[in-house]
Amino acid sequence: MKCPYCGSKIKEDLDICSTCGKDIRKSMTFKVSDRASNLSGEVVFKDLGFLNTLNPIHVLKKGLFSIPSGFMQLIKNKKRIVILTALAVIWIVLILLPYLRMNPLVVQILSFLMFAQGGASANSLRMIGGLLGKGVYAVFFVSLFEQGFKPFFKGTKDILRQLKSIQKQSLSTILIGMGTAGVLYNFLTGYAAWIKSMVGIAAIFIILSALALQKGFLFDFIRALTFTCLRHKKTTNEVILASLMEGLILGFLISIGLSFLPIGYAPYIFGFLCFILGYASFYTYGIEVKRS
């Protein structure tokens, strides 16, 4: 649980935040509870000022405006500078080697593992998508050194437990998540091919880590997207959040498989089909509010 004023982590049985000293119970009330143990409820907020954290536009703006400060923090973090510099050097070497007619199997495997070919295109749209994909991979690469695999394994355990209780009402949200992943994957690779599929693995790692840690821009943005208005109460549904993240992971996994087909835009096609099926399922079954 987080303090609605300063964002510090606090125990659920506390009434006063130990960091900022403000009364938490006056700001928000909870109907249920432990997301880690089960996903069967909602969080209801009484203080509408706190609801800015559940506004996707607000979260996106906050993320964009935090880029300069994040860059300044990066400059001060010598460990990250060393890691990212080493990554950039590896990318340059792996991109140049094929042009020097040095492209043995070892180089191809390293190019796959390091997502070296991302952004290497004369097509401007593919190049932009690939460069953004390199940014996703860089986040993944740095996270491996700073956090290791512990958040990934915890997120995987949570997802596997959640998949056991999928109901038909969750289908629409999962399909929309899969569609989003398919389109996003194809854009980040530029042109879907097996040698660029590492960005999909990096994205899955980031999503699972965000689910386990329950913090960061990705988690906050996805949570904000699941924000709904029910009976004039501002409510964010934990089940919808979990279903959407499940769909994203499944979508990236399937898109990685589609990269082995000789159709560079197969994940785009897959993504749009999932969107159509997702909205059709929504009008048929609706969106699940509770999961037993």
Short mmCIF file of all heavy atoms in Angstrom, two decimals, residues 138-169:
data_model
loop_
_atom_site.label_atom_id
_atom_site.label_comp_id
_atom_site.label_asym_id
_atom_site.label_seq_id
_atom_site.Cartn_x
_atom_site.Cartn_y
_atom_site.Cartn_z
N ALA A 138 17.16 -1.33 -23.47
CA ALA A 138 18.11 -0.72 -22.53
C ALA A 138 17.57 -0.76 -21.11
O ALA A 138 18.31 -1.02 -20.15
CB ALA A 138 18.41 0.72 -22.95
N VAL A 139 16.24 -0.50 -20.95
CA VAL A 139 15.62 -0.59 -19.62
C VAL A 139 15.74 -2.02 -19.08
O VAL A 139 16.08 -2.22 -17.91
CB VAL A 139 14.13 -0.18 -19.70
CG1 VAL A 139 13.42 -0.46 -18.38
CG2 VAL A 139 14.01 1.29 -20.06
N PHE A 140 15.47 -2.98 -19.94
CA PHE A 140 15.59 -4.39 -19.57
C PHE A 140 17.03 -4.73 -19.17
O PHE A 140 17.29 -5.38 -18.16
CB PHE A 140 15.12 -5.25 -20.74
CG PHE A 140 15.68 -6.65 -20.78
CD1 PHE A 140 15.23 -7.61 -19.89
CD2 PHE A 140 16.65 -7.00 -21.71
CE1 PHE A 140 15.74 -8.91 -19.92
CE2 PHE A 140 17.17 -8.28 -21.75
CZ PHE A 140 16.72 -9.24 -20.85
N PHE A 141 17.99 -4.27 -19.97
CA PHE A 141 19.41 -4.57 -19.76
C PHE A 141 19.90 -4.01 -18.43
O PHE A 141 20.57 -4.69 -17.66
CB PHE A 141 20.22 -3.98 -20.92
CG PHE A 141 21.63 -4.51 -21.02
CD1 PHE A 141 21.86 -5.78 -21.50
CD2 PHE A 141 22.71 -3.72 -20.64
CE1 PHE A 141 23.17 -6.27 -21.60
CE2 PHE A 141 24.01 -4.20 -20.73
CZ PHE A 141 24.24 -5.48 -21.22
N VAL A 142 19.53 -2.76 -18.14
CA VAL A 142 19.93 -2.13 -16.88
C VAL A 142 19.26 -2.83 -15.69
O VAL A 142 19.89 -3.05 -14.65
CB VAL A 142 19.59 -0.62 -16.89
CG1 VAL A 142 19.81 -0.01 -15.51
CG2 VAL A 142 20.43 0.12 -17.92
N SER A 143 17.98 -3.21 -15.87
CA SER A 143 17.24 -3.87 -14.80
C SER A 143 17.88 -5.20 -14.40
O SER A 143 17.86 -5.59 -13.23
CB SER A 143 15.79 -4.11 -15.22
OG SER A 143 15.12 -2.89 -15.43
N LEU A 144 18.46 -5.90 -15.39
CA LEU A 144 19.12 -7.17 -15.09
C LEU A 144 20.27 -6.97 -14.12
O LEU A 144 20.49 -7.79 -13.22
CB LEU A 144 19.65 -7.80 -16.39
CG LEU A 144 18.64 -8.52 -17.27
CD1 LEU A 144 19.32 -9.07 -18.51
CD2 LEU A 144 17.96 -9.65 -16.53
N PHE A 145 21.01 -5.87 -14.28
CA PHE A 145 22.15 -5.61 -13.41
C PHE A 145 21.72 -5.07 -12.05
O PHE A 145 22.36 -5.35 -11.04
CB PHE A 145 23.10 -4.61 -14.08
CG PHE A 145 23.93 -5.20 -15.18
CD1 PHE A 145 23.47 -5.21 -16.48
CD2 PHE A 145 25.17 -5.78 -14.91
CE1 PHE A 145 24.23 -5.76 -17.50
CE2 PHE A 145 25.93 -6.35 -15.92
CZ PHE A 145 25.47 -6.34 -17.23
N GLU A 146 20.65 -4.30 -12.02
CA GLU A 146 20.24 -3.65 -10.78
C GLU A 146 19.29 -4.50 -9.93
O GLU A 146 19.36 -4.46 -8.71
CB GLU A 146 19.57 -2.31 -11.10
CG GLU A 146 20.52 -1.29 -11.69
CD GLU A 146 19.90 0.08 -11.85
OE1 GLU A 146 18.65 0.18 -11.78
OE2 GLU A 146 20.63 1.05 -12.03
N GLN A 147 18.40 -5.26 -10.58
CA GLN A 147 17.38 -6.02 -9.84
C GLN A 147 17.53 -7.52 -9.99
O GLN A 147 17.01 -8.28 -9.17
CB GLN A 147 15.98 -5.60 -10.30
CG GLN A 147 15.69 -4.12 -10.10
CD GLN A 147 14.38 -3.70 -10.73
OE1 GLN A 147 13.69 -4.49 -11.38
NE2 GLN A 147 14.01 -2.44 -10.55
N GLY A 148 18.22 -7.96 -11.04
CA GLY A 148 18.34 -9.39 -11.28
C GLY A 148 17.02 -9.99 -11.77
O GLY A 148 16.15 -9.29 -12.28
N PHE A 149 16.85 -11.28 -11.57
CA PHE A 149 15.67 -11.99 -12.05
C PHE A 149 14.58 -12.16 -10.99
O PHE A 149 13.53 -12.72 -11.28
CB PHE A 149 16.07 -13.37 -12.58
CG PHE A 149 16.78 -13.33 -13.90
CD1 PHE A 149 18.17 -13.31 -13.95
CD2 PHE A 149 16.06 -13.30 -15.09
CE1 PHE A 149 18.82 -13.28 -15.17
CE2 PHE A 149 16.72 -13.27 -16.31
CZ PHE A 149 18.10 -13.25 -16.35
N LYS A 150 14.83 -11.70 -9.76
CA LYS A 150 13.87 -11.92 -8.69
C LYS A 150 12.48 -11.34 -8.99
O LYS A 150 11.47 -12.04 -8.85
CB LYS A 150 14.42 -11.35 -7.38
CG LYS A 150 13.58 -11.70 -6.16
CD LYS A 150 14.24 -11.21 -4.87
CE LYS A 150 13.37 -11.58 -3.67
NZ LYS A 150 14.00 -11.12 -2.40
N PRO A 151 12.36 -10.05 -9.42
CA PRO A 151 11.02 -9.52 -9.75
C PRO A 151 10.37 -10.27 -10.91
O PRO A 151 9.15 -10.47 -10.92
CB PRO A 151 11.31 -8.06 -10.14
CG PRO A 151 12.61 -7.74 -9.50
CD PRO A 151 13.39 -9.01 -9.53
N PHE A 152 11.19 -10.71 -11.87
CA PHE A 152 10.67 -11.45 -13.02
C PHE A 152 10.03 -12.76 -12.58
O PHE A 152 8.92 -13.10 -13.00
CB PHE A 152 11.80 -11.72 -14.01
CG PHE A 152 11.46 -12.69 -15.10
CD1 PHE A 152 10.71 -12.28 -16.20
CD2 PHE A 152 11.86 -14.01 -15.04
CE1 PHE A 152 10.38 -13.17 -17.21
CE2 PHE A 152 11.54 -14.90 -16.04
CZ PHE A 152 10.80 -14.48 -17.13
N PHE A 153 10.72 -13.50 -11.71
CA PHE A 153 10.19 -14.79 -11.25
C PHE A 153 8.94 -14.59 -10.38
O PHE A 153 7.99 -15.37 -10.47
CB PHE A 153 11.26 -15.55 -10.46
CG PHE A 153 12.37 -16.09 -11.32
CD1 PHE A 153 13.69 -15.88 -10.99
CD2 PHE A 153 12.08 -16.81 -12.47
CE1 PHE A 153 14.71 -16.38 -11.79
CE2 PHE A 153 13.09 -17.31 -13.29
CZ PHE A 153 14.41 -17.09 -12.94
N LYS A 154 8.93 -13.53 -9.56
CA LYS A 154 7.76 -13.26 -8.74
C LYS A 154 6.56 -12.89 -9.61
O LYS A 154 5.44 -13.36 -9.39
CB LYS A 154 8.05 -12.13 -7.75
CG LYS A 154 6.90 -11.85 -6.78
CD LYS A 154 7.23 -10.73 -5.82
CE LYS A 154 6.11 -10.53 -4.81
NZ LYS A 154 4.81 -10.22 -5.42
N GLY A 155 6.79 -12.04 -10.63
CA GLY A 155 5.72 -11.68 -11.55
C GLY A 155 5.20 -12.87 -12.33
O GLY A 155 4.00 -13.01 -12.56
N THR A 156 6.11 -13.77 -12.73
CA THR A 156 5.71 -14.99 -13.45
C THR A 156 4.83 -15.87 -12.57
O THR A 156 3.82 -16.41 -13.03
CB THR A 156 6.96 -15.79 -13.87
OG1 THR A 156 7.79 -14.96 -14.69
CG2 THR A 156 6.57 -17.04 -14.65
N LYS A 157 5.20 -15.99 -11.30
CA LYS A 157 4.41 -16.79 -10.36
C LYS A 157 3.01 -16.21 -10.19
O LYS A 157 2.01 -16.93 -10.18
CB LYS A 157 5.13 -16.84 -9.01
CG LYS A 157 4.47 -17.74 -7.98
CD LYS A 157 5.28 -17.75 -6.69
CE LYS A 157 4.60 -18.62 -5.63
NZ LYS A 157 5.37 -18.62 -4.35
N ASP A 158 2.93 -14.88 -10.10
CA ASP A 158 1.62 -14.22 -9.95
C ASP A 158 0.75 -14.44 -11.18
O ASP A 158 -0.44 -14.74 -11.07
CB ASP A 158 1.82 -12.72 -9.72
CG ASP A 158 2.43 -12.41 -8.36
OD1 ASP A 158 2.39 -13.31 -7.50
OD2 ASP A 158 2.94 -11.30 -8.18
N ILE A 159 1.35 -14.30 -12.37
CA ILE A 159 0.59 -14.46 -13.62
C ILE A 159 0.08 -15.89 -13.77
O ILE A 159 -1.07 -16.12 -14.16
CB ILE A 159 1.46 -14.08 -14.83
CG1 ILE A 159 1.53 -12.56 -14.96
CG2 ILE A 159 0.92 -14.66 -16.13
CD1 ILE A 159 0.22 -11.90 -15.37
N LEU A 160 0.92 -16.88 -13.47
CA LEU A 160 0.51 -18.28 -13.60
C LEU A 160 -0.65 -18.59 -12.66
O LEU A 160 -1.56 -19.34 -13.01
CB LEU A 160 1.69 -19.20 -13.31
CG LEU A 160 2.81 -19.21 -14.36
CD1 LEU A 160 3.98 -20.07 -13.90
CD2 LEU A 160 2.29 -19.69 -15.71
N ARG A 161 -0.62 -18.00 -11.47
CA ARG A 161 -1.73 -18.21 -10.53
C ARG A 161 -3.01 -17.58 -11.05
O ARG A 161 -4.10 -18.13 -10.95
CB ARG A 161 -1.37 -17.62 -9.16
CG ARG A 161 -2.43 -17.90 -8.09
CD ARG A 161 -2.07 -17.30 -6.75
NE ARG A 161 -2.03 -15.85 -6.80
CZ ARG A 161 -0.91 -15.14 -6.71
NH1 ARG A 161 0.26 -15.75 -6.59
NH2 ARG A 161 -0.94 -13.82 -6.75
N GLN A 162 -2.88 -16.39 -11.64
CA GLN A 162 -4.05 -15.69 -12.16
C GLN A 162 -4.66 -16.40 -13.37
O GLN A 162 -5.89 -16.41 -13.54
CB GLN A 162 -3.66 -14.26 -12.54
CG GLN A 162 -3.26 -13.40 -11.36
CD GLN A 162 -2.47 -12.18 -11.77
OE1 GLN A 162 -2.50 -11.78 -12.92
NE2 GLN A 162 -1.75 -11.59 -10.83
N LEU A 163 -3.82 -17.00 -14.20
CA LEU A 163 -4.31 -17.67 -15.41
C LEU A 163 -5.23 -18.85 -15.09
O LEU A 163 -6.05 -19.25 -15.91
CB LEU A 163 -3.14 -18.14 -16.27
CG LEU A 163 -2.37 -17.05 -17.03
CD1 LEU A 163 -1.13 -17.63 -17.70
CD2 LEU A 163 -3.27 -16.39 -18.08
N LYS A 164 -5.07 -19.41 -13.89
CA LYS A 164 -5.89 -20.57 -13.51
C LYS A 164 -7.35 -20.18 -13.27
O LYS A 164 -8.22 -21.05 -13.27
CB LYS A 164 -5.32 -21.21 -12.24
CG LYS A 164 -3.95 -21.85 -12.43
CD LYS A 164 -3.42 -22.43 -11.13
CE LYS A 164 -2.04 -23.05 -11.31
NZ LYS A 164 -1.51 -23.61 -10.03
N SER A 165 -7.61 -18.90 -13.05
CA SER A 165 -8.98 -18.48 -12.71
C SER A 165 -9.60 -17.59 -13.77
O SER A 165 -10.47 -16.78 -13.47
CB SER A 165 -8.97 -17.76 -11.36
OG SER A 165 -8.10 -16.65 -11.39
N ILE A 166 -9.14 -17.74 -15.03
CA ILE A 166 -9.71 -16.92 -16.10
C ILE A 166 -11.16 -17.32 -16.36
O ILE A 166 -11.50 -18.50 -16.42
CB ILE A 166 -8.89 -17.10 -17.40
CG1 ILE A 166 -7.53 -16.43 -17.26
CG2 ILE A 166 -9.63 -16.50 -18.60
CD1 ILE A 166 -6.65 -16.57 -18.47
N GLN A 167 -12.03 -16.34 -16.51
CA GLN A 167 -13.42 -16.58 -16.87
C GLN A 167 -13.72 -15.87 -18.18
O GLN A 167 -12.94 -15.03 -18.64
CB GLN A 167 -14.35 -16.07 -15.76
CG GLN A 167 -14.15 -16.79 -14.44
CD GLN A 167 -15.06 -16.26 -13.36
OE1 GLN A 167 -15.96 -15.48 -13.62
NE2 GLN A 167 -14.84 -16.70 -12.13
N LYS A 168 -14.85 -16.20 -18.79
CA LYS A 168 -15.16 -15.64 -20.10
C LYS A 168 -15.30 -14.12 -20.07
O LYS A 168 -15.06 -13.45 -21.07
CB LYS A 168 -16.42 -16.28 -20.67
CG LYS A 168 -17.69 -16.05 -19.83
CD LYS A 168 -18.87 -16.79 -20.44
CE LYS A 168 -20.15 -16.58 -19.61
NZ LYS A 168 -21.28 -17.34 -20.18
N GLN A 169 -15.65 -13.56 -18.89
CA GLN A 169 -15.79 -12.11 -18.78
C GLN A 169 -14.44 -11.40 -18.86
O GLN A 169 -14.37 -10.21 -19.14
CB GLN A 169 -16.49 -11.74 -17.47
CG GLN A 169 -17.97 -12.08 -17.44
CD GLN A 169 -18.23 -13.52 -17.01
OE1 GLN A 169 -17.30 -14.28 -16.77
NE2 GLN A 169 -19.50 -13.88 -16.92
#
